[in-house]
């Protein structure tokens, strides 16, 4: 049931354009729905012009208006801590050296290339890894910039996987999206296209548009990488968005970010992973929070992530267990981190810690040695 906007007719509520046109962008508007704390009020004032705020009515409706620790609130409402001196003095605008000589293009792994199609987002997540682009204003890449990117992919035959991100890549018009996808599909060495979109979480109404679904299906194989962080984000609408994508042959994977005060709790994370499997979304990554300027207050220790991974193992199918990873600074790539299950090795006999209970000795050797 809708908590706010109860007078908005269903056909408007289900319209992506209505959701975008009616985004909440000022303190005054927000106060009509949420009892703001002084920290939030100062946050909105002090981040104005630096890290903008925008919240779709749909995402707002998931918030608890009385609970300042609500996980949706923490992800979408600015707090003064974003600009406090300690948080601002740490981290970098671009810790992973994404910015290169072609605007929007990062080519770090030989087989994969990343392209940010726009700086526009439905909701400006306070923990955004590309918080630096908030300052660029809401701007989609021009035709000329897109053509430079396409030309780059055409010339690099080692690229098999193109990742379209943002901003919110699916906020561009269907026409612009089709221009990008159809041209990528004309390049023989491009095998898969991935779209990194948070719209299933922030404005799932985007996927109620049959024309968009048709385009995604037409240029198959296209994979969606989305970004659910909390079980509260799994709703009837988000489940419907996923269902529609699947019906159009688009698999949906998830990348969660470990965020202090939001999901740094083993039980919350277990509930999230179960919820994702229920709506047929495969949890792929759990990322450690990056040292991004203006978002360092969301970081936890690495031990916290390991504790969560240990908790998940044995309590949910392996299908529901993401790879926990940290992105190394300086563009040195993502590395997986796992709790250690091998306690010791003696010749070919290994001592394992069981994810269920106790310790198990197990001899494993190559078939040739028997
Ligand atoms: C994360 C990332 C990718 C994709 O990595 P996967 O492990 O394939 O999801 C590609 N390029 C850059 C620059 C990245 O940061």
């Amino acid at each position: 049931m809708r908590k706010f906007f109860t007078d908005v007719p269903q056909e408007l509520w289900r319209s992506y354009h209505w959701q975008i046109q009616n985004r909440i962008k000022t303190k005054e508007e927000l106060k009509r729905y949420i009892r703001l704390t002084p920290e939030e009020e100062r946050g909105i004032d002090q981040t104005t012009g630096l890290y903008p705020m925008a919240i779709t009515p749909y995402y707002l409706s998931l918030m608890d208006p009385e609970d300042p620790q609500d996980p949706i609130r923490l992800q979408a409402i600015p707090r003064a801590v974003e600009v406090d001196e300690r948080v601002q003095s740490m981290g970098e605008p671009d810790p992973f050296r994404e910015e290169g000589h072609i605007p929007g293009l990062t080519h770090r792994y030989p087989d994969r290339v990343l392209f940010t199609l726009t700086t526009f987002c439905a909701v400006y997540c306070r923990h955004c890894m590309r918080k630096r682009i908030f300052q660029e204003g809401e701007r989609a890449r021009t035709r000329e910039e897109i053509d430079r990117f396409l030309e780059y992919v055409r010339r690099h035959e080692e690229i098999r996987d193109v990742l379209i991100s943002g901003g919110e890549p699916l906020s561009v018009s269907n026409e612009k999206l089709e221009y990008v996808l159809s041209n990528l599909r004309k390049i023989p060495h491009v095998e898969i296209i991935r779209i990194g979109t948070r719209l299933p979480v922030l404005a799932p109404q985007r996927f109620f548009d049959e024309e968009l679904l048709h385009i995604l299906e037409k240029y198959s194989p296209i994979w969606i990488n989305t970004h659910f962080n909390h079980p509260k984000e799994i709703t009837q609408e988000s489940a419907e968005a996923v269902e529609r994508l699947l019906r159009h042959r688009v698999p949906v994977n998830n990348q969660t970010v470990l965020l202090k005060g939001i999901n740094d709790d083993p039980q919350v994370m277990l509930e999230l992973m179960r919820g994702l499997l229920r709506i047929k979304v495969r949890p792929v990554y759990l990322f450690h929070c990056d040292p991004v300027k203006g978002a360092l207050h969301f970081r936890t220790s690495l031990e916290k992530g390991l504790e969560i991974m240990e908790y998940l193992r044995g309590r949910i199918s392996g299908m529901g267990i993401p790879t926990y990873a940290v992105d190394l600074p300086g563009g040195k790539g993502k590395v997986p981190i796992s709790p250690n299950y091998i306690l010791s090795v003696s010749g070919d006999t290994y001592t394992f810690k069981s994810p269920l209970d106790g310790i198990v000795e197990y001899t494993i050797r190559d078939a040739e040695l028997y």
Side-chain angles (χ1 to χ4, degrees):
M1 269 312 286
R2 251 188 265 162
K3 210 167 23 218
F4 315 121
F5 307 97
T6 45
D7 55 337
V8 176
Q10 191 66 358
E11 66 265 32
L12 285 185
W13 185 256
R14 287 177 64 84
S15 151
Y16 170 73
H17 294 290
W18 184 88
Q19 291 287 340
I20 295 301
Q21 278 156 13
N22 289 278
R23 294 188 303 164
I24 287 86
K25 293 168 142 182
T26 65
K27 186 170 73 179
E28 287 62 40
E29 284 173 278
L30 191 55
K31 280 167 94 168
R32 303 217 304 257
Y33 307 101
I34 305 289
R35 193 206 301 267
L36 294 176
T37 64
E39 158 77 353
E40 288 168 327
E41 293 216 21
R42 267 187 296 125
I44 297 169
D45 293 339
Q46 292 174 13
T47 56
T48 300
L50 185 61
Y51 303 127
M53 169 178 83
I55 308 172
T56 56
Y58 165 79
Y59 202 57
L60 183 82
S61 76
L62 306 182
M63 291 179 190
D64 182 339
E66 302 295 338
D67 177 12
Q69 297 310 313
D70 176 88
I72 309 295
R73 265 170 91 152
L74 294 176
Q75 289 183 72
I77 300 181
R79 283 177 296 151
V81 62
E82 291 177 34
V83 290
D84 98 13
E85 222 171 293
R86 205 178 59 89
V87 165
Q88 279 290 313
S89 69
M90 296 184 293
E92 292 179 51
D94 181 18
F96 306 109
R97 310 275 186 273
E98 287 189 327
E99 302 293 351
H101 66 290
I102 295 182
L105 187 144
T106 314
H107 192 183
R108 184 190 297 167
Y109 305 98
D111 63 317
R112 279 159 278 174
V113 73
L114 172 74
F115 184 62
T116 55
L117 188 54
T118 173
T119 62
F120 178 94
C121 266
V123 171
Y124 291 103
C125 301
R126 310 326 296 178
H127 59 275
C128 182
M129 68 169 294
R130 302 206 177 97
K131 217 160 167 161
R132 64 178 190 275
I133 70 178
F134 285 28
Q135 276 115 282
E136 292 172 27
E138 297 179 333
R139 187 178 81 82
R141 299 271 166 225
T142 60
R143 176 65 66 97
E144 196 190 352
E145 288 168 330
I146 292 172
D147 287 342
R148 282 184 73 189
F149 150 70
L150 290 168
E151 187 52 30
Y152 183 92
V153 177
R154 229 173 261 127
R155 289 216 188 131
H156 288 77
E157 288 183 22
E158 70 277 20
I159 298 173
R160 296 168 185 284
D161 177 353
V162 176
L163 185 42
I164 312 279
S165 186
E168 177 48 69
L170 294 184
S171 67
V172 304
S173 67
N174 289 348
E175 200 182 2
K176 191 163 209 155
L177 183 72
E178 184 156 25
Y179 179 78
V180 175
L181 298 179
S182 62
N183 278 294
L184 281 174
R185 268 290 159 253
K186 285 181 202 148
I187 305 173
H189 53 269
V190 172
E191 293 175 6
I192 64 166
I193 300 169
R194 286 191 282 173
I195 299 177
T197 168
R198 207 183 181 199
L199 288 182
V201 180
L202 306 173
Q205 294 79 7
R206 181 70 175 103
F207 305 96
F208 302 172
D209 170 10
E210 279 298 317
E211 190 183 70
L212 169 74
L213 296 169
H214 202 78
I215 293 169
L216 296 178
E217 184 166 23
K218 188 166 162 192
Y219 300 102
S220 183
I222 290 182
W223 296 67
I224 294 276
N225 275 2
T226 192
H227 179 42
F228 284 88
N229 281 334
H230 194 277
K232 274 188 86 170
E233 294 168 342
I234 296 170
T235 65
Q236 218 170 24
E237 283 99 333
S238 61
E240 182 179 341
V242 173
E243 191 68 36
R244 284 171 179 264
L245 283 163
L246 292 173
R247 258 189 249 148
H248 287 268
R249 304 190 291 141
V250 181
V252 185
N253 285 334
N254 191 65
Q255 308 186 155
T256 297
V257 179
L258 179 57
L259 298 168
K260 198 182 194 71
I262 293 173
N263 59 16
D264 59 338
D265 176 284
Q267 282 192 0
V268 168
M269 206 62 96
L270 177 62
E271 209 188 313
L272 172 63
M273 300 311 157
R274 281 188 183 145
L276 290 173
L277 290 187
R278 221 164 40 233
I279 64 168
K280 292 174 278 184
V281 172
R282 167 83 226 271
V284 170
Y285 275 129
L286 171 64
F287 286 125
H288 196 77
C289 183
D290 296 327
V292 171
K293 198 177 183 69
L296 267 95
H297 52 295
F298 287 114
R299 291 195 110 190
T300 65
S301 66
L302 208 67
E303 282 69 30
K304 178 54 78 178
L306 287 168
E307 177 198 334
I308 289 171
M309 294 308 293
E310 270 204 67
Y311 185 83
L312 294 179
R313 186 69 60 186
R315 288 184 174 83
I316 185 170
S317 150
M319 224 168 54
I321 301 182
T323 298
Y324 178 40
V326 261
D327 212 346
L328 297 177
K332 292 296 185 182
K334 295 179 179 80
V335 286
I337 309 163
S338 166
N340 195 11
Y341 291 98
I342 298 178
L343 298 177
S344 64
V345 187
S346 166
D348 47 21
T349 299
Y350 299 80
T351 307
F352 287 98
K353 181 172 66 181
S354 161
L356 298 175
D357 199 12
I359 283 171
V360 177
E361 278 203 356
Y362 188 19
T363 300
I364 302 174
R365 59 174 75 104
D366 191 282
E368 314 255 314
L369 299 174
Y370 282 95

